[in-house]
Structures are given as structure tokens and as C-alpha cells.
Amino acid sequence: MARDLIGCLLVVDHPDGRAALRLVETEAYRGALDPGSHGYRGPRPRNQSMFGPPGRLYVYLSYGVHFCANVVCGPEGVSEAVLLRAGEPVAGVDAIRARRGIESDRLLASGPGRLTQALGITREHDGASLLRGGSMWCARDELTQRFQETGISQTKRIGLGAGRGDELPWRFVVAGHPFASRTR
DNA sequence: CAGAAGATCTGC
DNA sequence: CAGATCTTCTGC
């Protein structure tokens, strides 16, 4: 699923206009099977939405500072999710730039915290549905298939400590894409 | 119950 | 490279 989301559009209708990113970097987190997942040790107040039905957002506060957004993928009770790590702005760039408060194009949504800030996603969007009828959704367009075929690299996930599944190749990124996050 | 670490980013 | 500062886990 994390791979399938590469090249998809993430669209958010915000009061100040619609913005969209083309996803270029994601990571898979596999719940109870994955010591790197927030769902590994079962439901908690913070991660409730991970255990809910699929097609919703799980948004959490990272390091007490930045929000990170996941798409919940597993059936109810199974906390599988895909962390959205980076995207290229394709619509609403002015609104995105205003929210980010920077000039550089490349840094607008290249990193999980930057991506949520770019789209105006906060903890209030935790549990929000990406299915029909909501104010945010995922979509494919004519370019999505190209991105899927252009070359998707698979690497270790970023920022995990040793023994937390840090060797697993569950990060997906469009090879060499300038809007991907830095690999540190 | 206190301390530490964590799916990060910015500015010094 | 330190700091910001929320949530969860571990050890005493």
C-alpha cells in the first residue's frame, strides 16, 4: 500500500483554497508486526485512529513540535498505516507557501512535518476520512502511472532506532526526486 | 513517579 | 548542533 500511494495526489480543501501534493515518499508501518509502529504495543489515547477503519488519517505530534500524517490501511483493529513523508505541490501553491512561510520550492513538503504544515493538517484532522464526501482525499491522474513506472527506490525507514525494525526496507521514494526528503 | 527517547525541523 | 516540548515507555 505504501508503494501504491507513490505518484497519487493528496488533495485538501481548506477554507483558504484547495491544495494538492503529488506523493513522492512514503513509509509502511505494520502495527503489531512492527516494533517501529506506534501500534506495536496496542491502542493508546494517541493512536486510537490507527485501530479504526481504513481510509482515515492518523495524525500525531512528533517531538512535541511537528504533526505527521498517516493513511490507515488495515481493517478495523489492525493498526497498519502509511506515513506520508514528502510530496510535490501541484495545486494551491500560494496557500502552501503562505502556511510554510518560506520561499524555496523544494522544501515546501519534503519531510513529514513539512508536508502536514503545507496542507494545514493538524491533530484536529486525526481520524478524518479520505473517502467520498470529505474535505480531503487521494486521487490518481494520468501521471500517477508514470510515477509508478519511473523507478521507485526502496530503502530503510528514516529516524528509527536500532531494534525497532530499522533494517526493514519499507520506505518508498521516487528515485532521485528533488522533492523527496533528505536521507540524513 | 521521574527520566529518557522518540516515525522532526529550524535557526544559530 | 542544540532546542522546542508532547506522548509513551522503563526503571526504581
Side-chain angles (χ1 to χ4, degrees):
Chain A
M1 188 64 197
R3 179 179 207 112
D4 299 323
L5 284 173
I6 297 291
C8 288
L9 300 172
L10 178 61
V11 190
V12 176
D13 266 334
H14 216 262
D16 43 319
R18 174 175 297 184
L21 302 178
R22 187 176 306 281
L23 297 175
V24 298
E25 181 181 351
T26 60
E27 284 177 356
Y29 286 87
R30 305 204 53 202
L33 306 172
D34 177 4
S37 167
H38 286 175
Y40 186 56
R41 293 164 202 279
R44 294 284 183 285
R46 176 173 72 160
N47 62 12
Q48 279 296 329
S49 52
M50 280 188 111
F51 289 83
R56 298 193 187 179
L57 233 44
Y58 162 51
V59 183
Y60 70 95
L61 186 57
S62 174
Y63 289 88
V65 183
H66 307 284
F67 295 104
C68 296
N70 297 251
V71 178
V72 177
C73 299
E76 200 154 354
V78 176
S79 57
E80 297 194 355
V82 173
L83 172 66
L84 306 177
R85 285 199 56 93
E88 174 176 357
V90 295
V93 183
D94 290 341
I96 290 175
R97 206 186 298 280
R99 282 191 283 261
R100 290 281 294 119
I102 59 169
E103 291 303 312
S104 157
D105 283 333
R106 219 191 71 240
L107 297 176
L108 286 177
S110 58
R114 292 166 178 159
L115 182 149
T116 54
Q117 190 184 23
L119 294 175
I121 294 174
T122 70
R123 179 76 177 163
E124 297 189 0
H125 297 89
D126 183 51
S129 176
L130 293 167
L131 307 182
R132 279 175 90 93
S135 64
M136 54 178 70
W137 63 92
C138 254
R140 296 171 175 278
D141 69 358
E142 57 282 357
L143 278 181
T144 302
Q145 185 63 23
R146 296 240 194 289
F147 273 77
Q148 284 282 325
E149 292 164 350
T150 295
I152 299 176
S153 306
Q154 231 176 309
T155 76
K156 298 173 186 176
R157 295 176 293 182
I158 299 202
L160 289 182
R164 303 177 119 265
D166 56 313
E167 297 299 318
L168 297 167
W170 288 349
R171 170 176 177 254
F172 299 84
V173 53
V174 176
H177 197 283
F179 288 78
S181 76
R182 290 228 168 255
T183 321
R184 300 210 288 200

